[in-house]
Amino acid sequence: MSAPDITRIIQHNLQSVHAEIRQACRNVGRDPAGVQLVAVTKYADWEWVTALSRLHTVFGENRPQQLAERQLLLPQVQWHLIGQLQRNKVRLALEHAAVIHSVDSLRLLERLAAVAAELRLQPTPTILLQVNTTGEASKSGFTADELRHSWPEILAHSATVQITGLMTMAAATDHPEEARPAFRALRELRDELAAAAAAASVPLTLPELSMGMSGDFVPAVEEGATLVRIGSRLFAGLG
Ligand SMILES: *Cc1c(COP(=O)(O)O)cnc(C)c1O
């Protein structure tokens, strides 16, 4: 496929995703400016990634190694890490990712805070806490109860890392509506944790909700997503 054809297809897909995001916002009276699209490139050919980089500037990768390699080649793009992070890859992730969506344990948070302090990173790294809202053993993340229980310890790290919100993945389904309860649960948990932070006089409001993928971003936006992570929809038709 020629480069102009690739660009045309991606541009079309991008426009239709943006149109659906705007419609979802309209459904619930939200301002579309409050929803940021993270274009997930983990399965995308490099040619597609470079074509997309002329149309969009916030990308997501789920592996720290591939994120680092691509960030060096396209430093003008903001790269978000959305997949599982092993503790031995923390330094690599901090050096290359603008935002880490997938902080799924207290041990990982502690390691991030320690390495960020050691590297004297300024501004301090931006992270989201991943929540397992579906109870599936295959999904990583804090359970809601683990987060409630660990909240005082997590708040203690809020000076060394900027904890800006929560992230979740709904169960895979052919029916987007089935994902809605997971998204609503994430929003309600955010409200509860932000209230607990305020009660402890810690200014942590958790404004970001990273939720919604190609198959379920409409209910996610309706339930308050501020970051939607979309991959396959953007590259549909490229083979
Ligand atoms: C792959 C991936 C996505 C994007 O999935 P699509 O269905 O291709 O849109 C979003 N979030 C995470 C964590 C992923 O690994």
Side-chain angles (χ1 to χ4, degrees), residues 21 30 32-40 56 58-59 78 80-82 99-102 126-129 164-168 183 186 190 206-213 216-217 220-221 223-230:
I21 290 172
R30 290 188 62 194
V35 183
Q36 191 169 43
L37 170 64
V38 179
V40 177
H56 192 74
V58 182
F59 287 14
Q78 204 187 85
H80 291 206
L81 181 67
I82 61 170
V99 182
I100 300 173
H101 292 225
S102 41
T126 301
I127 66 123
L128 286 81
L129 302 171
T164 60
L166 305 181
M167 179 273 227
T168 200
F183 301 145
L186 194 73
R190 184 274 304 278
L206 305 171
E208 306 286 358
L209 292 175
S210 170
M211 56 190 195
M213 319 194 340
D216 58 20
F217 68 89
V221 168
E223 294 298 332
T226 62
L227 293 158
V228 289
R229 310 177 309 269
I230 298 181

mmCIF file of all heavy atoms in Angstrom, residues 21 30 32-40 56 58-59 78 80-82 99-102 126-129 164-168 183 186 190 206-213 216-217 220-221 223-230:
data_model
loop_
_atom_site.group_PDB
_atom_site.id
_atom_site.type_symbol
_atom_site.label_atom_id
_atom_site.label_comp_id
_atom_site.label_asym_id
_atom_site.label_seq_id
_atom_site.Cartn_x
_atom_site.Cartn_y
_atom_site.Cartn_z
ATOM 1 N N ILE A 21 -16.458 10.085 19.712
ATOM 2 C CA ILE A 21 -16.149 10.661 21.033
ATOM 3 C C ILE A 21 -17.005 11.911 21.254
ATOM 4 O O ILE A 21 -17.606 12.090 22.320
ATOM 5 C CB ILE A 21 -14.643 10.982 21.163
ATOM 6 C CG1 ILE A 21 -13.827 9.685 21.227
ATOM 7 C CG2 ILE A 21 -14.371 11.850 22.407
ATOM 8 C CD1 ILE A 21 -12.316 9.884 21.171
ATOM 9 N N ARG A 30 -20.946 16.480 28.162
ATOM 10 C CA ARG A 30 -19.534 16.750 28.478
ATOM 11 C C ARG A 30 -18.893 17.569 27.366
ATOM 12 O O ARG A 30 -19.288 17.482 26.208
ATOM 13 C CB ARG A 30 -18.744 15.430 28.578
ATOM 14 C CG ARG A 30 -19.076 14.586 29.769
ATOM 15 C CD ARG A 30 -18.092 13.411 29.881
ATOM 16 N NE ARG A 30 -16.720 13.867 30.081
ATOM 17 C CZ ARG A 30 -15.642 13.098 29.938
ATOM 18 N NH1 ARG A 30 -15.783 11.823 29.569
ATOM 19 N NH2 ARG A 30 -14.440 13.581 30.144
ATOM 20 N N PRO A 32 -16.030 17.855 24.821
ATOM 21 C CA PRO A 32 -15.090 16.917 24.180
ATOM 22 C C PRO A 32 -13.622 17.282 24.429
ATOM 23 O O PRO A 32 -12.754 16.410 24.343
ATOM 24 C CB PRO A 32 -15.407 17.038 22.683
ATOM 25 C CG PRO A 32 -16.729 17.691 22.599
ATOM 26 C CD PRO A 32 -16.933 18.489 23.854
ATOM 27 N N ALA A 33 -13.348 18.522 24.779
ATOM 28 C CA ALA A 33 -11.963 18.907 25.065
ATOM 29 C C ALA A 33 -11.421 18.167 26.292
ATOM 30 O O ALA A 33 -10.210 18.083 26.488
ATOM 31 C CB ALA A 33 -11.866 20.410 25.283
ATOM 32 N N GLY A 34 -12.312 17.599 27.084
ATOM 33 C CA GLY A 34 -11.890 16.865 28.271
ATOM 34 C C GLY A 34 -11.563 15.406 28.012
ATOM 35 O O GLY A 34 -11.310 14.646 28.956
ATOM 36 N N VAL A 35 -11.564 14.999 26.752
ATOM 37 C CA VAL A 35 -11.252 13.602 26.419
ATOM 38 C C VAL A 35 -10.031 13.576 25.493
ATOM 39 O O VAL A 35 -10.062 14.155 24.406
ATOM 40 C CB VAL A 35 -12.424 12.898 25.709
ATOM 41 C CG1 VAL A 35 -12.085 11.424 25.458
ATOM 42 C CG2 VAL A 35 -13.706 13.015 26.516
ATOM 43 N N GLN A 36 -8.981 12.918 25.943
ATOM 44 C CA GLN A 36 -7.774 12.827 25.127
ATOM 45 C C GLN A 36 -7.642 11.406 24.563
ATOM 46 O O GLN A 36 -7.818 10.427 25.285
ATOM 47 C CB GLN A 36 -6.555 13.149 25.988
ATOM 48 C CG GLN A 36 -5.290 13.333 25.184
ATOM 49 C CD GLN A 36 -4.165 13.912 26.020
ATOM 50 O OE1 GLN A 36 -3.949 13.502 27.150
ATOM 51 N NE2 GLN A 36 -3.444 14.858 25.454
ATOM 52 N N LEU A 37 -7.341 11.356 23.273
ATOM 53 C CA LEU A 37 -7.163 10.064 22.609
ATOM 54 C C LEU A 37 -5.702 9.635 22.701
ATOM 55 O O LEU A 37 -4.803 10.350 22.252
ATOM 56 C CB LEU A 37 -7.578 10.196 21.138
ATOM 57 C CG LEU A 37 -7.250 9.018 20.220
ATOM 58 C CD1 LEU A 37 -8.013 7.768 20.636
ATOM 59 C CD2 LEU A 37 -7.573 9.369 18.768
ATOM 60 N N VAL A 38 -5.478 8.466 23.298
ATOM 61 C CA VAL A 38 -4.147 7.854 23.304
ATOM 62 C C VAL A 38 -4.169 6.808 22.188
ATOM 63 O O VAL A 38 -4.884 5.811 22.281
ATOM 64 C CB VAL A 38 -3.827 7.193 24.662
ATOM 65 C CG1 VAL A 38 -2.448 6.536 24.634
ATOM 66 C CG2 VAL A 38 -3.921 8.218 25.793
ATOM 67 N N ALA A 39 -3.419 7.061 21.127
ATOM 68 C CA ALA A 39 -3.411 6.151 19.970
ATOM 69 C C ALA A 39 -2.461 4.998 20.267
ATOM 70 O O ALA A 39 -1.255 5.183 20.394
ATOM 71 C CB ALA A 39 -2.954 6.908 18.727
ATOM 72 N N VAL A 40 -3.035 3.799 20.399
ATOM 73 C CA VAL A 40 -2.236 2.641 20.817
ATOM 74 C C VAL A 40 -1.592 1.992 19.589
ATOM 75 O O VAL A 40 -2.285 1.517 18.684
ATOM 76 C CB VAL A 40 -3.112 1.632 21.582
ATOM 77 C CG1 VAL A 40 -2.302 0.392 21.952
ATOM 78 C CG2 VAL A 40 -3.678 2.284 22.843
ATOM 79 N N HIS A 56 -1.382 13.122 14.739
ATOM 80 C CA HIS A 56 -1.740 12.949 16.151
ATOM 81 C C HIS A 56 -0.462 12.896 16.984
ATOM 82 O O HIS A 56 0.569 12.454 16.461
ATOM 83 C CB HIS A 56 -2.531 11.635 16.302
ATOM 84 C CG HIS A 56 -3.193 11.475 17.634
ATOM 85 N ND1 HIS A 56 -4.316 12.192 17.987
ATOM 86 C CD2 HIS A 56 -2.887 10.710 18.712
ATOM 87 C CE1 HIS A 56 -4.673 11.855 19.223
ATOM 88 N NE2 HIS A 56 -3.816 10.961 19.678
ATOM 89 N N VAL A 58 -0.267 11.922 20.684
ATOM 90 C CA VAL A 58 -0.229 11.173 21.943
ATOM 91 C C VAL A 58 -0.391 9.687 21.627
ATOM 92 O O VAL A 58 -1.443 9.262 21.135
ATOM 93 C CB VAL A 58 -1.339 11.643 22.915
ATOM 94 C CG1 VAL A 58 -1.240 10.880 24.231
ATOM 95 C CG2 VAL A 58 -1.241 13.138 23.160
ATOM 96 N N PHE A 59 0.671 8.910 21.899
ATOM 97 C CA PHE A 59 0.690 7.501 21.530
ATOM 98 C C PHE A 59 0.845 6.621 22.766
ATOM 99 O O PHE A 59 1.447 7.038 23.754
ATOM 100 C CB PHE A 59 1.883 7.214 20.599
ATOM 101 C CG PHE A 59 1.720 7.741 19.180
ATOM 102 C CD1 PHE A 59 0.742 8.657 18.850
ATOM 103 C CD2 PHE A 59 2.573 7.313 18.176
ATOM 104 C CE1 PHE A 59 0.600 9.135 17.550
ATOM 105 C CE2 PHE A 59 2.455 7.787 16.872
ATOM 106 C CZ PHE A 59 1.468 8.692 16.554
ATOM 107 N N GLN A 78 4.190 12.359 22.401
ATOM 108 C CA GLN A 78 4.134 12.034 23.813
ATOM 109 C C GLN A 78 3.789 10.551 23.950
ATOM 110 O O GLN A 78 2.731 10.112 23.494
ATOM 111 C CB GLN A 78 3.034 12.877 24.453
ATOM 112 C CG GLN A 78 3.216 13.076 25.927
ATOM 113 C CD GLN A 78 2.011 13.760 26.545
ATOM 114 O OE1 GLN A 78 1.032 13.109 26.895
ATOM 115 N NE2 GLN A 78 2.083 15.073 26.653
ATOM 116 N N HIS A 80 2.878 7.169 26.040
ATOM 117 C CA HIS A 80 2.307 6.695 27.300
ATOM 118 C C HIS A 80 2.518 5.185 27.403
ATOM 119 O O HIS A 80 2.227 4.458 26.443
ATOM 120 C CB HIS A 80 0.795 6.965 27.343
ATOM 121 C CG HIS A 80 0.427 8.415 27.432
ATOM 122 N ND1 HIS A 80 -0.758 8.844 27.979
ATOM 123 C CD2 HIS A 80 1.088 9.542 27.050
ATOM 124 C CE1 HIS A 80 -0.811 10.177 27.926
ATOM 125 N NE2 HIS A 80 0.291 10.617 27.361
ATOM 126 N N LEU A 81 2.957 4.726 28.550
ATOM 127 C CA LEU A 81 3.064 3.278 28.786
ATOM 128 C C LEU A 81 1.738 2.795 29.361
ATOM 129 O O LEU A 81 1.289 3.293 30.399
ATOM 130 C CB LEU A 81 4.212 2.965 29.749
ATOM 131 C CG LEU A 81 4.404 1.471 30.010
ATOM 132 C CD1 LEU A 81 4.881 0.743 28.756
ATOM 133 C CD2 LEU A 81 5.380 1.230 31.155
ATOM 134 N N ILE A 82 1.109 1.812 28.681
ATOM 135 C CA ILE A 82 -0.213 1.342 29.117
ATOM 136 C C ILE A 82 -0.198 -0.117 29.554
ATOM 137 O O ILE A 82 -1.198 -0.622 30.034
ATOM 138 C CB ILE A 82 -1.264 1.534 27.993
ATOM 139 C CG1 ILE A 82 -0.887 0.722 26.759
ATOM 140 C CG2 ILE A 82 -1.409 3.020 27.640
ATOM 141 C CD1 ILE A 82 -1.991 0.675 25.707
ATOM 142 N N VAL A 99 3.752 9.410 30.539
ATOM 143 C CA VAL A 99 2.736 8.998 31.503
ATOM 144 C C VAL A 99 2.767 7.472 31.595
ATOM 145 O O VAL A 99 2.902 6.794 30.570
ATOM 146 C CB VAL A 99 1.312 9.443 31.057
ATOM 147 C CG1 VAL A 99 0.260 9.048 32.096
ATOM 148 C CG2 VAL A 99 1.249 10.944 30.787
ATOM 149 N N ILE A 100 2.654 6.930 32.805
ATOM 150 C CA ILE A 100 2.554 5.474 32.990
ATOM 151 C C ILE A 100 1.163 5.176 33.544
ATOM 152 O O ILE A 100 0.826 5.604 34.648
ATOM 153 C CB ILE A 100 3.663 4.967 33.946
ATOM 154 C CG1 ILE A 100 5.047 5.289 33.370
ATOM 155 C CG2 ILE A 100 3.507 3.461 34.195
ATOM 156 C CD1 ILE A 100 6.208 4.992 34.315
ATOM 157 N N HIS A 101 0.339 4.479 32.728
ATOM 158 C CA HIS A 101 -1.060 4.224 33.115
ATOM 159 C C HIS A 101 -1.213 2.987 33.993
ATOM 160 O O HIS A 101 -2.299 2.748 34.498
ATOM 161 C CB HIS A 101 -1.922 3.955 31.868
ATOM 162 C CG HIS A 101 -2.125 5.123 30.964
ATOM 163 N ND1 HIS A 101 -3.354 5.449 30.435
ATOM 164 C CD2 HIS A 101 -1.264 6.038 30.477
ATOM 165 C CE1 HIS A 101 -3.233 6.514 29.651
ATOM 166 N NE2 HIS A 101 -1.973 6.888 29.656
ATOM 167 N N SER A 102 -0.158 2.160 34.049
ATOM 168 C CA SER A 102 -0.330 0.775 34.490
ATOM 169 C C SER A 102 0.395 0.452 35.785
ATOM 170 O O SER A 102 0.990 -0.612 35.917
ATOM 171 C CB SER A 102 0.175 -0.131 33.368
ATOM 172 O OG SER A 102 1.385 0.410 32.807
ATOM 173 N N THR A 126 4.434 11.309 35.917
ATOM 174 C CA THR A 126 2.975 11.256 35.976
ATOM 175 C C THR A 126 2.522 9.816 35.840
ATOM 176 O O THR A 126 2.878 9.139 34.869
ATOM 177 C CB THR A 126 2.394 12.099 34.825
ATOM 178 O OG1 THR A 126 2.856 13.436 34.974
ATOM 179 C CG2 THR A 126 0.890 12.083 34.835
ATOM 180 N N ILE A 127 1.757 9.341 36.798
ATOM 181 C CA ILE A 127 1.322 7.938 36.763
ATOM 182 C C ILE A 127 -0.167 7.820 37.095
ATOM 183 O O ILE A 127 -0.751 8.701 37.715
ATOM 184 C CB ILE A 127 2.142 7.069 37.746
ATOM 185 C CG1 ILE A 127 1.854 7.476 39.203
ATOM 186 C CG2 ILE A 127 3.648 7.191 37.509
ATOM 187 C CD1 ILE A 127 1.368 6.326 40.021
ATOM 188 N N LEU A 128 -0.746 6.702 36.639
ATOM 189 C CA LEU A 128 -2.102 6.350 37.020
ATOM 190 C C LEU A 128 -2.057 4.980 37.692
ATOM 191 O O LEU A 128 -1.189 4.162 37.381
ATOM 192 C CB LEU A 128 -3.024 6.277 35.794
ATOM 193 C CG LEU A 128 -3.423 7.615 35.164
ATOM 194 C CD1 LEU A 128 -2.334 8.144 34.249
ATOM 195 C CD2 LEU A 128 -4.709 7.467 34.370
ATOM 196 N N LEU A 129 -2.983 4.748 38.590
ATOM 197 C CA LEU A 129 -3.068 3.465 39.282
ATOM 198 C C LEU A 129 -4.057 2.580 38.535
ATOM 199 O O LEU A 129 -5.197 2.986 38.281
ATOM 200 C CB LEU A 129 -3.532 3.680 40.721
ATOM 201 C CG LEU A 129 -2.633 4.616 41.555
ATOM 202 C CD1 LEU A 129 -3.303 4.946 42.884
ATOM 203 C CD2 LEU A 129 -1.258 3.995 41.779
ATOM 204 N N THR A 164 -2.138 11.007 38.953
ATOM 205 C CA THR A 164 -3.170 11.878 38.393
ATOM 206 C C THR A 164 -4.516 11.181 38.196
ATOM 207 O O THR A 164 -5.492 11.843 37.854
ATOM 208 C CB THR A 164 -2.735 12.472 37.036
ATOM 209 O OG1 THR A 164 -2.497 11.399 36.131
ATOM 210 C CG2 THR A 164 -1.470 13.309 37.186
ATOM 211 N N GLY A 165 -4.573 9.862 38.387
ATOM 212 C CA GLY A 165 -5.869 9.222 38.211
ATOM 213 C C GLY A 165 -5.804 7.717 38.241
ATOM 214 O O GLY A 165 -4.827 7.116 38.689
ATOM 215 N N LEU A 166 -6.876 7.105 37.728
ATOM 216 C CA LEU A 166 -7.038 5.655 37.737
ATOM 217 C C LEU A 166 -7.214 5.139 36.310
ATOM 218 O O LEU A 166 -7.699 5.852 35.435
ATOM 219 C CB LEU A 166 -8.276 5.265 38.558
ATOM 220 C CG LEU A 166 -8.356 5.763 40.008
ATOM 221 C CD1 LEU A 166 -9.645 5.239 40.659
ATOM 222 C CD2 LEU A 166 -7.140 5.337 40.820
ATOM 223 N N MET A 167 -6.822 3.889 36.118
ATOM 224 C CA MET A 167 -6.971 3.244 34.807
ATOM 225 C C MET A 167 -7.634 1.886 34.989
ATOM 226 O O MET A 167 -7.409 1.223 35.999
ATOM 227 C CB MET A 167 -5.576 3.072 34.194
ATOM 228 C CG MET A 167 -5.548 2.396 32.839
ATOM 229 S SD MET A 167 -5.471 0.596 32.882
ATOM 230 C CE MET A 167 -4.185 0.310 31.683
ATOM 231 N N THR A 168 -8.464 1.491 34.027
ATOM 232 C CA THR A 168 -8.988 0.124 34.066
ATOM 233 C C THR A 168 -9.213 -0.415 32.663
ATOM 234 O O THR A 168 -9.228 0.340 31.679
ATOM 235 C CB THR A 168 -10.298 0.020 34.875
ATOM 236 O OG1 THR A 168 -10.501 -1.350 35.274
ATOM 237 C CG2 THR A 168 -11.522 0.466 34.080
ATOM 238 N N PHE A 183 -16.681 0.790 34.113
ATOM 239 C CA PHE A 183 -16.281 2.201 33.989
ATOM 240 C C PHE A 183 -16.926 3.051 35.088
ATOM 241 O O PHE A 183 -16.304 3.927 35.672
ATOM 242 C CB PHE A 183 -16.652 2.740 32.602
ATOM 243 C CG PHE A 183 -16.021 1.985 31.468
ATOM 244 C CD1 PHE A 183 -16.691 1.784 30.270
ATOM 245 C CD2 PHE A 183 -14.740 1.463 31.603
ATOM 246 C CE1 PHE A 183 -16.105 1.082 29.219
ATOM 247 C CE2 PHE A 183 -14.140 0.758 30.557
ATOM 248 C CZ PHE A 183 -14.822 0.564 29.370
ATOM 249 N N LEU A 186 -15.125 2.502 38.294
ATOM 250 C CA LEU A 186 -13.844 3.223 38.388
ATOM 251 C C LEU A 186 -14.083 4.683 38.777
ATOM 252 O O LEU A 186 -13.383 5.235 39.619
ATOM 253 C CB LEU A 186 -13.085 3.154 37.059
ATOM 254 C CG LEU A 186 -11.612 3.592 37.175
ATOM 255 C CD1 LEU A 186 -10.774 2.537 37.893
ATOM 256 C CD2 LEU A 186 -11.004 3.898 35.815
ATOM 257 N N ARG A 190 -12.833 6.497 42.174
ATOM 258 C CA ARG A 190 -12.057 7.739 42.130
ATOM 259 C C ARG A 190 -12.659 8.783 43.078
ATOM 260 O O ARG A 190 -11.941 9.425 43.858
ATOM 261 C CB ARG A 190 -12.018 8.279 40.700
ATOM 262 C CG ARG A 190 -11.151 9.533 40.525
ATOM 263 C CD ARG A 190 -11.882 10.836 40.815
ATOM 264 N NE ARG A 190 -13.067 10.986 40.023
ATOM 265 C CZ ARG A 190 -13.094 11.418 38.758
ATOM 266 N NH1 ARG A 190 -11.984 11.737 38.162
ATOM 267 N NH2 ARG A 190 -14.246 11.530 38.124
ATOM 268 N N LEU A 206 -7.206 13.217 41.587
ATOM 269 C CA LEU A 206 -7.344 12.134 40.605
ATOM 270 C C LEU A 206 -8.238 12.534 39.424
ATOM 271 O O LEU A 206 -9.248 11.852 39.152
ATOM 272 C CB LEU A 206 -7.890 10.867 41.280
ATOM 273 C CG LEU A 206 -7.104 10.339 42.486
ATOM 274 C CD1 LEU A 206 -7.879 9.214 43.176
ATOM 275 C CD2 LEU A 206 -5.721 9.837 42.070
ATOM 276 N N PRO A 207 -7.901 13.595 38.697
ATOM 277 C CA PRO A 207 -8.782 14.040 37.608
ATOM 278 C C PRO A 207 -8.852 13.084 36.413
ATOM 279 O O PRO A 207 -9.836 13.112 35.677
ATOM 280 C CB PRO A 207 -8.169 15.384 37.183
ATOM 281 C CG PRO A 207 -6.739 15.326 37.637
ATOM 282 C CD PRO A 207 -6.754 14.505 38.894
ATOM 283 N N GLU A 208 -7.828 12.243 36.223
ATOM 284 C CA GLU A 208 -7.801 11.421 35.010
ATOM 285 C C GLU A 208 -8.429 10.040 35.220
ATOM 286 O O GLU A 208 -8.136 9.345 36.191
ATOM 287 C CB GLU A 208 -6.356 11.213 34.521
ATOM 288 C CG GLU A 208 -5.552 12.483 34.310
ATOM 289 C CD GLU A 208 -5.962 13.265 33.063
ATOM 290 O OE1 GLU A 208 -6.856 12.815 32.314
ATOM 291 O OE2 GLU A 208 -5.367 14.341 32.852
ATOM 292 N N LEU A 209 -9.275 9.652 34.263
ATOM 293 C CA LEU A 209 -9.813 8.289 34.214
ATOM 294 C C LEU A 209 -9.438 7.716 32.850
ATOM 295 O O LEU A 209 -9.951 8.167 31.820
ATOM 296 C CB LEU A 209 -11.335 8.298 34.385
ATOM 297 C CG LEU A 209 -11.855 8.701 35.764
ATOM 298 C CD1 LEU A 209 -13.390 8.776 35.743
ATOM 299 C CD2 LEU A 209 -11.393 7.711 36.846
ATOM 300 N N SER A 210 -8.505 6.746 32.841
ATOM 301 C CA SER A 210 -8.062 6.117 31.599
ATOM 302 C C SER A 210 -8.877 4.854 31.398
ATOM 303 O O SER A 210 -8.660 3.843 32.078
ATOM 304 C CB SER A 210 -6.560 5.796 31.699
ATOM 305 O OG SER A 210 -6.138 4.989 30.618
ATOM 306 N N MET A 211 -9.849 4.916 30.511
ATOM 307 C CA MET A 211 -10.733 3.762 30.298
ATOM 308 C C MET A 211 -11.408 3.875 28.935
ATOM 309 O O MET A 211 -11.701 4.971 28.464
ATOM 310 C CB MET A 211 -11.761 3.650 31.433
ATOM 311 C CG MET A 211 -12.623 4.883 31.678
ATOM 312 S SD MET A 211 -13.564 4.716 33.230
ATOM 313 C CE MET A 211 -14.789 6.030 33.018
ATOM 314 N N GLY A 212 -11.616 2.713 28.311
ATOM 315 C CA GLY A 212 -12.214 2.678 26.982
ATOM 316 C C GLY A 212 -11.178 2.336 25.937
ATOM 317 O O GLY A 212 -10.114 2.949 25.883
ATOM 318 N N MET A 213 -11.485 1.291 25.134
ATOM 319 C CA MET A 213 -10.628 0.850 24.041
ATOM 320 C C MET A 213 -11.483 0.829 22.771
ATOM 321 O O MET A 213 -12.612 1.316 22.764
ATOM 322 C CB MET A 213 -10.035 -0.536 24.344
ATOM 323 C CG MET A 213 -9.600 -0.651 25.787
ATOM 324 S SD MET A 213 -8.549 -2.024 26.297
ATOM 325 C CE MET A 213 -8.716 -3.260 25.077
ATOM 326 N N ASP A 216 -15.136 -0.364 23.251
ATOM 327 C CA ASP A 216 -16.022 0.085 24.339
ATOM 328 C C ASP A 216 -15.790 1.539 24.760
ATOM 329 O O ASP A 216 -16.139 1.920 25.874
ATOM 330 C CB ASP A 216 -15.888 -0.866 25.548
ATOM 331 C CG ASP A 216 -14.460 -0.966 26.079
ATOM 332 O OD1 ASP A 216 -13.648 -0.071 25.800
ATOM 333 O OD2 ASP A 216 -14.169 -1.954 26.788
ATOM 334 N N PHE A 217 -15.221 2.362 23.854
ATOM 335 C CA PHE A 217 -14.902 3.721 24.309
ATOM 336 C C PHE A 217 -16.127 4.625 24.431
ATOM 337 O O PHE A 217 -16.088 5.614 25.178
ATOM 338 C CB PHE A 217 -13.809 4.375 23.439
ATOM 339 C CG PHE A 217 -14.205 4.701 22.026
ATOM 340 C CD1 PHE A 217 -14.777 5.929 21.721
ATOM 341 C CD2 PHE A 217 -13.984 3.795 20.997
ATOM 342 C CE1 PHE A 217 -15.120 6.245 20.408
ATOM 343 C CE2 PHE A 217 -14.327 4.096 19.694
ATOM 344 C CZ PHE A 217 -14.908 5.320 19.393
ATOM 345 N N ALA A 220 -17.416 4.323 27.905
ATOM 346 C CA ALA A 220 -16.356 4.858 28.782
ATOM 347 C C ALA A 220 -16.414 6.385 28.830
ATOM 348 O O ALA A 220 -16.347 6.990 29.902
ATOM 349 C CB ALA A 220 -14.984 4.384 28.313
ATOM 350 N N VAL A 221 -16.558 7.010 27.656
ATOM 351 C CA VAL A 221 -16.630 8.478 27.612
ATOM 352 C C VAL A 221 -17.903 8.949 28.324
ATOM 353 O O VAL A 221 -17.883 9.919 29.088
ATOM 354 C CB VAL A 221 -16.577 8.990 26.153
ATOM 355 C CG1 VAL A 221 -16.934 10.474 26.075
ATOM 356 C CG2 VAL A 221 -15.190 8.737 25.557
ATOM 357 N N GLU A 223 -19.239 7.623 30.785
ATOM 358 C CA GLU A 223 -19.048 7.463 32.239
ATOM 359 C C GLU A 223 -17.918 8.327 32.779
ATOM 360 O O GLU A 223 -17.574 8.227 33.953
ATOM 361 C CB GLU A 223 -18.801 5.985 32.590
ATOM 362 C CG GLU A 223 -19.993 5.076 32.335
ATOM 363 C CD GLU A 223 -21.234 5.442 33.173
ATOM 364 O OE1 GLU A 223 -21.091 5.993 34.278
ATOM 365 O OE2 GLU A 223 -22.364 5.169 32.694
ATOM 366 N N GLY A 224 -17.282 9.128 31.918
ATOM 367 C CA GLY A 224 -16.315 10.092 32.448
ATOM 368 C C GLY A 224 -14.862 9.898 32.051
ATOM 369 O O GLY A 224 -13.981 10.561 32.619
ATOM 370 N N ALA A 225 -14.562 9.015 31.088
ATOM 371 C CA ALA A 225 -13.165 8.828 30.664
ATOM 372 C C ALA A 225 -12.546 10.163 30.240
ATOM 373 O O ALA A 225 -13.184 10.950 29.535
ATOM 374 C CB ALA A 225 -13.094 7.839 29.501
ATOM 375 N N THR A 226 -11.300 10.392 30.655
ATOM 376 C CA THR A 226 -10.556 11.563 30.175
ATOM 377 C C THR A 226 -9.431 11.135 29.243
ATOM 378 O O THR A 226 -8.871 11.949 28.528
ATOM 379 C CB THR A 226 -9.949 12.359 31.342
ATOM 380 O OG1 THR A 226 -9.017 11.516 32.036
ATOM 381 C CG2 THR A 226 -11.023 12.857 32.302
ATOM 382 N N LEU A 227 -9.084 9.847 29.285
ATOM 383 C CA LEU A 227 -8.079 9.274 28.385
ATOM 384 C C LEU A 227 -8.690 7.990 27.821
ATOM 385 O O LEU A 227 -9.061 7.105 28.594
ATOM 386 C CB LEU A 227 -6.797 8.922 29.160
ATOM 387 C CG LEU A 227 -5.997 10.100 29.740
ATOM 388 C CD1 LEU A 227 -5.105 9.634 30.892
ATOM 389 C CD2 LEU A 227 -5.141 10.724 28.640
ATOM 390 N N VAL A 228 -8.837 7.907 26.500
ATOM 391 C CA VAL A 228 -9.286 6.657 25.894
ATOM 392 C C VAL A 228 -8.099 6.077 25.128
ATOM 393 O O VAL A 228 -7.362 6.802 24.473
ATOM 394 C CB VAL A 228 -10.515 6.832 24.967
ATOM 395 C CG1 VAL A 228 -11.766 7.126 25.792
ATOM 396 C CG2 VAL A 228 -10.305 7.926 23.937
ATOM 397 N N ARG A 229 -7.895 4.770 25.261
ATOM 398 C CA ARG A 229 -6.733 4.099 24.667
ATOM 399 C C ARG A 229 -7.212 3.271 23.485
ATOM 400 O O ARG A 229 -7.817 2.217 23.668
ATOM 401 C CB ARG A 229 -6.058 3.203 25.708
ATOM 402 C CG ARG A 229 -5.762 3.886 27.054
ATOM 403 C CD ARG A 229 -5.168 2.898 28.039
ATOM 404 N NE ARG A 229 -5.942 1.670 28.155
ATOM 405 C CZ ARG A 229 -6.920 1.476 29.027
ATOM 406 N NH1 ARG A 229 -7.246 2.409 29.914
ATOM 407 N NH2 ARG A 229 -7.586 0.333 29.044
ATOM 408 N N ILE A 230 -6.990 3.765 22.273
ATOM 409 C CA ILE A 230 -7.590 3.134 21.100
ATOM 410 C C ILE A 230 -6.523 2.736 20.091
ATOM 411 O O ILE A 230 -5.711 3.567 19.679
ATOM 412 C CB ILE A 230 -8.627 4.086 20.469
ATOM 413 C CG1 ILE A 230 -9.739 4.343 21.496
ATOM 414 C CG2 ILE A 230 -9.183 3.500 19.170
ATOM 415 C CD1 ILE A 230 -10.838 5.251 21.012
#
